[in-house]
Amino acid sequence: AAGYLSPLVVLSREEASEALAKFEAWVATLPNGTLAGDLRFRPHLHLPFVNKLVHHPRIVEAVQAALETENLLLWSSDFNVKEPLSGGFFPIH
């Protein structure tokens, strides 16, 4: 597949709000309430709400369509969080 598809709505406002609330609740349990280090990597393996999200039918269907295959394997995932007003720069990647 070439190019990109936009906009691609895969979560309802309620689903997105629920995922964000679960993420924020989990981060609040971490030391200093900060997500850092190895906990950022492969959250789909240790956080049920992320595992549910990566298996969401609309997300899976969109990836299958983009890759033109029904055979998918999620090898890795990570959180790359830029806090509001942090001043950091995250280039397009």
Side-chain angles (χ1 to χ4, degrees), residues 14-30:
E14 293 78 21
E15 290 169 318
S17 293
E18 178 184 347
L20 178 59
K22 288 181 178 182
F23 171 78
E24 289 173 339
W26 172 67
V27 170
T29 69
L30 301 176

Side-chain angles (χ1 to χ4, degrees), residues 66-86:
L67 298 178
E68 298 177 346
T69 183
E70 292 184 7
N71 299 313
L72 300 177
L73 171 68
L74 177 59
W75 183 258
S76 187
S77 61
D78 64 84
F79 290 120
N80 191 4
V81 179
K82 180 188 180 297
E83 296 293 336
L85 306 173
S86 67

Side-chain angles (χ1 to χ4, degrees), residues 4-44:
Y4 71 98
L5 175 63
S6 177
L8 179 62
V9 178
V10 294
L11 297 178
S12 68
R13 182 176 299 273
E14 293 78 21
E15 290 169 318
S17 293
E18 178 184 347
L20 178 59
K22 288 181 178 182
F23 171 78
E24 289 173 339
W26 172 67
V27 170
T29 69
L30 301 176
N32 300 320
T34 303
L35 177 58
D38 289 343
L39 291 175
R40 296 183 315 117
F41 302 108
R42 296 185 182 89
H44 68 285

